[in-house]
Amino acid sequence: FSTNINNAEEARKIFKGCDLIIAATDNIRSRLNINTLSIELGIPSLYGKCAVRAAGGEVLRVRPKVGPCFSCIYADASMEAAAEEMSSFRQAREANPPYVGDDEVKATIQVGLSSDIIPISNMLVKLALVELCRGKDSALATLETDLEAPFYMWANRREQQFAGYPADGFQRFDKPAILRWYPMMIERKSDCKTCQDMEVSEENVDFFAGK
């Protein structure tokens, strides 16, 4: 589909009937909109996010009314909508004033991101396959228990929020380390205005809760 995902009516038409939504968009506004619609329609969704310069990343799985939603985790996300990774000419062009030439704009685009983004993409794919096969007799059945947490964090380098990781952490397993996934069990926020106030399809909720 070629559409503006921020147009709720258009997005609702696309999502209806889906088994799973993967939010692979590049801005906060679209993810917040997808989160709201996935809860409204009772459809599980997955969100992948890279830190600036892909120093690390996060993956969130949302099962409507069963666990935390995107807004529960990123409560201040709407305030961070401008903090996008400069991974395309479009983003860099929009972030620079008109008097800055295209050649200078291209120089601000982050390079070499792909190898750092791949682990987050792979985790998104793995969680998607596990979710679609959930409750079925498949080769991924054992992963339902291994990957039961709704939120996962990954660090590529000891930078930004990962700067406090020990330098020798990669050789140890008793300290946080780079190049390793960490699951986090997080509950829904009781005051979340997105998933606490919205009615969803009970049929879908029961199905994805394994009832």
Tab-separated table of all heavy atoms in Angstrom, residues 60-86:
chain	number	residue	atom	x	y	z
A	60	LEU	N	10.021	-3.418	20.814
A	60	LEU	CA	8.854	-3.550	21.680
A	60	LEU	C	7.762	-4.335	20.985
A	60	LEU	O	7.456	-4.083	19.821
A	60	LEU	CB	8.325	-2.153	22.049
A	60	LEU	CG	6.964	-2.093	22.742
A	60	LEU	CD1	7.041	-2.683	24.140
A	60	LEU	CD2	6.459	-0.646	22.787
A	61	ARG	N	7.177	-5.293	21.705
A	61	ARG	CA	6.013	-6.029	21.195
A	61	ARG	C	4.802	-5.595	22.012
A	61	ARG	O	4.833	-5.607	23.245
A	61	ARG	CB	6.204	-7.535	21.347
A	61	ARG	CG	4.987	-8.338	20.847
A	61	ARG	CD	5.092	-9.804	21.227
A	61	ARG	NE	5.192	-9.973	22.661
A	61	ARG	CZ	6.150	-10.688	23.276
A	61	ARG	NH1	7.075	-11.303	22.564
A	61	ARG	NH2	6.183	-10.779	24.593
A	62	VAL	N	3.753	-5.214	21.336
A	62	VAL	CA	2.525	-4.776	22.004
A	62	VAL	C	1.403	-5.755	21.714
A	62	VAL	O	1.046	-5.980	20.554
A	62	VAL	CB	2.111	-3.358	21.548
A	62	VAL	CG1	0.753	-2.989	22.141
A	62	VAL	CG2	3.173	-2.337	21.948
A	63	ARG	N	0.852	-6.341	22.775
A	63	ARG	CA	-0.351	-7.164	22.678
A	63	ARG	C	-1.457	-6.364	23.370
A	63	ARG	O	-1.441	-6.229	24.601
A	63	ARG	CB	-0.157	-8.516	23.352
A	63	ARG	CG	0.795	-9.447	22.603
A	63	ARG	CD	1.082	-10.698	23.397
A	63	ARG	NE	1.990	-11.603	22.679
A	63	ARG	CZ	2.756	-12.511	23.277
A	63	ARG	NH1	2.726	-12.635	24.601
A	63	ARG	NH2	3.539	-13.283	22.558
A	64	PRO	N	-2.390	-5.808	22.620
A	64	PRO	CA	-3.406	-4.921	23.188
A	64	PRO	C	-4.094	-5.461	24.427
A	64	PRO	O	-4.588	-6.588	24.437
A	64	PRO	CB	-4.404	-4.763	22.024
A	64	PRO	CG	-3.551	-4.924	20.814
A	64	PRO	CD	-2.575	-6.004	21.179
A	65	LYS	N	-4.062	-4.650	25.493
A	65	LYS	CA	-4.729	-4.953	26.761
A	65	LYS	C	-4.107	-6.120	27.518
A	65	LYS	O	-4.615	-6.541	28.553
A	65	LYS	CB	-6.224	-5.231	26.534
A	65	LYS	CG	-7.015	-4.038	26.011
A	65	LYS	CD	-7.121	-2.925	27.039
A	65	LYS	CE	-8.033	-1.810	26.548
A	65	LYS	NZ	-8.207	-0.758	27.559
A	66	VAL	N	-2.998	-6.660	27.005
A	66	VAL	CA	-2.334	-7.778	27.679
A	66	VAL	C	-1.038	-7.300	28.320
A	66	VAL	O	-0.680	-7.718	29.418
A	66	VAL	CB	-2.044	-8.934	26.693
A	66	VAL	CG1	-1.272	-10.056	27.391
A	66	VAL	CG2	-3.343	-9.475	26.124
A	67	GLY	N	-0.317	-6.413	27.651
A	67	GLY	CA	0.935	-5.876	28.169
A	67	GLY	C	1.022	-4.394	27.869
A	67	GLY	O	0.045	-3.776	27.449
A	68	PRO	N	2.192	-3.798	28.081
A	68	PRO	CA	2.350	-2.359	27.837
A	68	PRO	C	2.235	-2.011	26.364
A	68	PRO	O	2.577	-2.808	25.500
A	68	PRO	CB	3.766	-2.079	28.361
A	68	PRO	CG	4.490	-3.390	28.182
A	68	PRO	CD	3.462	-4.432	28.509
A	69	CYS	N	1.742	-0.815	26.086
A	69	CYS	CA	1.675	-0.338	24.708
A	69	CYS	C	2.855	0.607	24.451
A	69	CYS	O	3.653	0.882	25.349
A	69	CYS	CB	0.341	0.369	24.434
A	69	CYS	SG	0.206	2.042	25.131
A	70	PHE	N	2.956	1.115	23.241
A	70	PHE	CA	4.053	2.004	22.883
A	70	PHE	C	4.069	3.242	23.785
A	70	PHE	O	5.115	3.693	24.238
A	70	PHE	CB	3.912	2.427	21.417
A	70	PHE	CG	5.041	3.265	20.904
A	70	PHE	CD1	6.177	2.678	20.352
A	70	PHE	CD2	4.974	4.654	20.957
A	70	PHE	CE1	7.229	3.456	19.871
A	70	PHE	CE2	6.013	5.441	20.475
A	70	PHE	CZ	7.142	4.842	19.938
A	71	SER	N	2.892	3.787	24.078
A	71	SER	CA	2.807	4.980	24.915
A	71	SER	C	3.182	4.700	26.361
A	71	SER	O	3.672	5.586	27.060
A	71	SER	CB	1.395	5.579	24.843
A	71	SER	OG	1.111	6.047	23.542
A	72	CYS	N	2.950	3.472	26.827
A	72	CYS	CA	3.350	3.094	28.186
A	72	CYS	C	4.869	3.165	28.337
A	72	CYS	O	5.397	3.605	29.361
A	72	CYS	CB	2.902	1.674	28.513
A	72	CYS	SG	1.133	1.430	28.730
A	73	ILE	N	5.580	2.707	27.304
A	73	ILE	CA	7.039	2.659	27.339
A	73	ILE	C	7.645	4.015	27.040
A	73	ILE	O	8.558	4.483	27.720
A	73	ILE	CB	7.579	1.629	26.324
A	73	ILE	CG1	6.971	0.246	26.577
A	73	ILE	CG2	9.096	1.568	26.369
A	73	ILE	CD1	7.327	-0.353	27.920
A	74	TYR	N	7.133	4.652	25.999
A	74	TYR	CA	7.684	5.938	25.570
A	74	TYR	C	6.704	7.043	25.937
A	74	TYR	O	6.133	7.698	25.073
A	74	TYR	CB	7.957	5.921	24.069
A	74	TYR	CG	8.918	4.839	23.645
A	74	TYR	CD1	8.463	3.667	23.034
A	74	TYR	CD2	10.290	4.966	23.862
A	74	TYR	CE1	9.346	2.665	22.656
A	74	TYR	CE2	11.183	3.973	23.487
A	74	TYR	CZ	10.698	2.833	22.884
A	74	TYR	OH	11.574	1.834	22.515
A	75	ALA	N	6.513	7.261	27.226
A	75	ALA	CA	5.539	8.234	27.708
A	75	ALA	C	5.820	9.639	27.197
A	75	ALA	O	4.907	10.427	26.972
A	75	ALA	CB	5.511	8.235	29.233
A	76	ASP	N	7.103	9.956	26.992
A	76	ASP	CA	7.466	11.296	26.538
A	76	ASP	C	7.810	11.320	25.052
A	76	ASP	O	8.443	12.253	24.563
A	76	ASP	CB	8.666	11.819	27.336
A	76	ASP	CG	8.353	11.915	28.818
A	76	ASP	OD1	7.229	12.316	29.154
A	76	ASP	OD2	9.232	11.588	29.642
A	77	ALA	N	7.380	10.285	24.333
A	77	ALA	CA	7.758	10.166	22.918
A	77	ALA	C	7.308	11.364	22.094
A	77	ALA	O	8.006	11.798	21.185
A	77	ALA	CB	7.180	8.883	22.324
A	78	SER	N	6.135	11.900	22.395
A	78	SER	CA	5.632	13.016	21.609
A	78	SER	C	6.521	14.240	21.722
A	78	SER	O	6.521	15.113	20.856
A	78	SER	CB	4.210	13.386	22.056
A	78	SER	OG	4.196	13.742	23.426
A	79	MET	N	7.324	14.308	22.803
A	79	MET	CA	8.224	15.435	22.997
A	79	MET	C	9.551	15.230	22.279
A	79	MET	O	10.383	16.115	22.216
A	79	MET	CB	8.476	15.651	24.500
A	79	MET	CG	7.217	15.873	25.313
A	79	MET	SD	6.291	17.329	24.760
A	79	MET	CE	7.436	18.620	25.223
A	80	GLU	N	9.765	13.997	21.764
A	80	GLU	CA	11.029	13.670	21.128
A	80	GLU	C	10.874	13.465	19.627
A	80	GLU	O	11.717	12.892	18.968
A	80	GLU	CB	11.601	12.387	21.749
A	80	GLU	CG	11.788	12.474	23.266
A	80	GLU	CD	12.116	11.123	23.863
A	80	GLU	OE1	12.216	10.144	23.097
A	80	GLU	OE2	12.266	11.041	25.088
A	81	ALA	N	9.783	13.935	19.070
A	81	ALA	CA	9.475	13.662	17.670
A	81	ALA	C	10.524	14.181	16.702
A	81	ALA	O	10.652	13.678	15.593
A	81	ALA	CB	8.105	14.252	17.308
A	82	ALA	N	11.296	15.172	17.111
A	82	ALA	CA	12.296	15.730	16.204
A	82	ALA	C	13.626	15.009	16.274
A	82	ALA	O	14.519	15.250	15.477
A	82	ALA	CB	12.508	17.212	16.530
A	83	ALA	N	13.786	14.119	17.246
A	83	ALA	CA	15.074	13.444	17.442
A	83	ALA	C	15.200	12.218	16.560
A	83	ALA	O	15.284	11.093	17.022
A	83	ALA	CB	15.223	13.050	18.909
A	84	GLU	N	15.177	12.428	15.229
A	84	GLU	CA	15.293	11.322	14.283
A	84	GLU	C	16.739	11.068	13.908
A	84	GLU	O	17.568	11.969	13.924
A	84	GLU	CB	14.517	11.651	12.999
A	84	GLU	CG	13.016	11.646	13.162
A	84	GLU	CD	12.341	11.807	11.815
A	84	GLU	OE1	12.966	11.473	10.786
A	84	GLU	OE2	11.197	12.273	11.780
A	85	GLU	N	17.038	9.839	13.588
A	85	GLU	CA	18.356	9.509	13.047
A	85	GLU	C	18.472	10.079	11.640
A	85	GLU	O	17.556	9.962	10.840
A	85	GLU	CB	18.521	7.984	12.998
A	85	GLU	CG	19.865	7.521	12.498
A	85	GLU	CD	20.982	7.846	13.468
A	85	GLU	OE1	20.902	7.445	14.624
A	85	GLU	OE2	21.932	8.508	13.036
A	86	MET	N	19.605	10.717	11.332
A	86	MET	CA	19.806	11.273	9.997
A	86	MET	C	20.314	10.177	9.065
A	86	MET	O	21.512	10.054	8.815
A	86	MET	CB	20.813	12.435	10.046
A	86	MET	CG	20.326	13.618	10.832
A	86	MET	SD	18.799	14.285	10.133
A	86	MET	CE	18.404	15.529	11.346
